[in-house]
Amino acid sequence: IVPLSIVLTNMIKFGIQFILFIGIYIFYEIIFVKEPLADTGFIYGLSWHLALIPLLILIMAALGLGIGLIISSMTTKYRDLRFLIQFGIQLVMYATPIVWPLKLIPAEHQWKVVINPMTSIVETFKVAFFGADFAVFNWMYLAYSALFSLFVLWVGVRLFSRIEKSFMDTI
């Protein structure tokens, strides 16, 4: 319950922030774009990819909850693991194409970046808000991220439920 409550609390905070972002985004598109972009499939800059945002949020929540369960399970026994985890998360963040687009990488090497499950999620957000010129959208990449997230969540739940019985003895 505790790891799930943390995820749900953060999703509520994210929801409030996201509603504010969407309001500002729509205001910007109506004020500054002013006409539909017929050649891009956008209506005032809005794409059909915006419909995928709830799915993206669920995939991110599943991945976060799964990783959180794995980390909390392992750090009860191995206390110093949290320092390694902090370093590892920073490395993965730098490997996610947030500022730089995936299109900069040659097609034959893109799979190395797509191994990171957050890559396709971030790229889909970019396509939804900025258009296909700024990012790469691929259903297979998104399916990989979803399956990877579900697998990590499954492993996290299994590991947490197995180690949960001995939490008090270890702590």
Side-chain angles (χ1 to χ4, degrees):
I1 298 293
V2 173
L4 186 60
S5 68
I6 292 170
V7 170
L8 290 176
T9 303
N10 285 325
M11 283 186 70
I12 291 170
K13 284 182 4 185
F14 174 77
I16 293 168
Q17 294 169 348
F18 193 68
I19 289 170
L20 291 172
F21 170 74
I22 292 295
I24 292 170
Y25 180 76
I26 291 172
F27 175 77
Y28 171 80
E29 290 296 329
I30 290 173
I31 296 297
F32 293 108
V33 173
K34 294 187 182 174
E35 62 184 50
L37 303 173
D39 58 332
T40 61
F42 281 66
I43 301 170
Y44 289 104
L46 302 178
S47 169
W48 68 268
H49 293 93
L50 288 171
L52 294 175
I53 289 177
L55 176 66
L56 298 175
I57 292 170
L58 285 175
I59 294 171
M60 285 190 305
L63 184 64
L65 181 60
I67 291 173
L69 288 171
I70 292 169
I71 291 171
S72 65
S73 299
M74 300 303 290
T75 54
T76 57
K77 189 171 184 180
Y78 308 106
R79 301 263 185 219
D80 293 335
L81 185 64
R82 65 185 173 122
F83 300 114
L84 180 64
I85 297 297
Q86 289 173 349
F87 179 71
I89 288 175
Q90 284 181 343
L91 284 178
V92 171
M93 284 178 58
Y94 284 117
T96 305
I98 294 172
V99 177
W100 50 275
L102 187 61
K103 286 185 173 185
L104 286 180
I105 298 174
E108 62 269 7
H109 297 293
Q110 283 184 2
W111 68 270
K112 296 174 186 173
V113 179
V114 174
I115 289 174
N116 179 353
M118 284 302 295
T119 297
S120 65
I121 296 170
V122 169
E123 288 291 305
T124 306
F125 271 116
K126 286 182 191 178
V127 168
F129 290 110
F130 303 122
D133 295 340
F134 298 99
V136 175
F137 175 74
N138 189 326
W139 284 107
M140 293 303 292
Y141 295 165
L142 196 57
Y144 162 74
S145 293
L147 291 174
F148 186 87
S149 297
L150 289 175
F151 177 73
V152 168
L153 180 61
W154 178 76
V155 168
V157 168
R158 299 271 312 210
L159 184 64
F160 189 84
S161 62
R162 189 175 57 154
I163 294 178
E164 180 184 31
K165 297 173 182 111
S166 63
F167 269 178
M168 294 313 279
D169 297 336
T170 307
I171 293 175

